Amino acid sequence: MANPITHINRKVPTEAEIRAQEMERLAEGAAKSHPGLLMFMDIVQEMYEAGYLEIVQGMVKNREKVLPYAFDFIKVSGMPIVMKNVISGLQFLGTLEPQKVQRTMNAVSHGLNKSLDVDMDGENKGFFDLLKMMKDPDVNRSITMLLTFLKSMGQHLGNSQQEINREMNQDKQKIMDEM
């Protein structure tokens, strides 16, 4: 039979070996992401040359004195309201279907470019000229879209907050199901 193991020799790395391993790991990481590191170092150099790093360093060193003023500035400047509006805006954008938004934005862009090319010094359109334009299928399509938008918005404005929340949750669930 074999002799029982009574003593285990563990190799405990020395401080120098640990440092060497860490330096090797750092070198490997730097080699993998060198373009990003070079860009980051360039940004830091620009901030140093512009004097921004001294400002940040002073703020960090004097944080106990600076923080109350920073919080007062945030309160007075209305930043909480701005942040809440930004979050609401992002939630709104999250409910829109990207293909429809892209199509609509392209149409708006094209319409703006065309309307800016129109000679404003030309003859003015009369009432009957405007009625004739409404027979144009493109004009009719745009007017129908705008009126549908206004009607839907008006209907939604008449809804209670509970109905609005329910509709938003349904829209979110629909989008999540599509992903």
Side-chain angles (χ1 to χ4, degrees):
M1 289 206 28
N3 293 335
I5 298 174
T6 57
H7 182 60
I8 298 174
N9 291 330
R10 291 188 181 164
K11 183 172 184 330
V12 177
T14 64
E15 192 71 28
E17 291 173 337
I18 292 173
R19 271 202 196 123
Q21 288 175 350
E22 290 174 353
M23 290 300 289
E24 187 177 317
R25 223 177 295 141
L26 278 173
E28 287 175 12
K32 287 180 185 175
S33 58
H34 77 280
L37 285 173
L38 292 174
M39 187 180 292
F40 179 74
M41 289 181 352
D42 185 49
I43 291 170
V44 169
Q45 181 63 35
E46 291 292 329
M47 290 177 66
Y48 173 75
E49 290 172 5
Y52 296 138
L53 290 181
E54 288 89 4
I55 294 170
V56 172
Q57 183 183 27
M59 290 174 65
V60 170
K61 284 184 177 180
N62 297 306
R63 61 188 168 271
E64 290 85 16
K65 296 175 186 173
V66 172
L67 278 178
Y69 292 111
F71 286 127
D72 287 342
F73 173 75
I74 289 172
K75 287 181 201 172
V76 171
S77 68
M79 286 301 263
I81 294 170
V82 170
M83 294 304 294
K84 192 180 253 187
N85 287 339
V86 166
I87 291 169
S88 295
L90 290 174
Q91 287 174 337
F92 162 72
L93 291 175
T95 63
L96 301 175
E97 294 181 34
Q99 296 84 7
K100 290 181 180 179
V101 172
Q102 183 66 42
R103 182 176 179 212
T104 304
M105 289 295 116
N106 288 341
V108 168
S109 174
H110 185 71
L112 280 173
N113 287 331
K114 279 286 197 182
S115 67
L116 294 174
D117 291 341
V118 172
D119 184 18
M120 293 304 214
D121 296 332
E123 75 180 67
N124 292 333
K125 300 283 184 189
F127 180 72
F128 291 109
D129 293 326
L130 295 175
L131 286 177
K132 285 181 197 175
M133 286 180 72
M134 292 193 57
K135 290 183 180 179
D136 182 346
D138 296 330
V139 172
N140 194 301
R141 193 176 305 117
S142 295
I143 290 174
T144 301
M145 180 184 162
L146 289 173
L147 291 175
T148 303
F149 167 75
L150 291 173
K151 181 176 179 172
S152 177
M153 188 172 96
Q155 287 173 343
H156 198 72
L157 287 172
N159 289 348
S160 69
Q161 189 62 40
Q162 292 171 338
E163 292 172 331
I164 293 170
N165 290 340
R166 189 183 73 243
E167 289 175 9
M168 286 182 69
N169 288 335
Q170 288 173 347
D171 290 344
K172 287 179 187 176
Q173 187 61 42
K174 180 181 169 187
I175 291 170
M176 294 304 287
D177 290 343
E178 291 175 359
M179 293 178 142

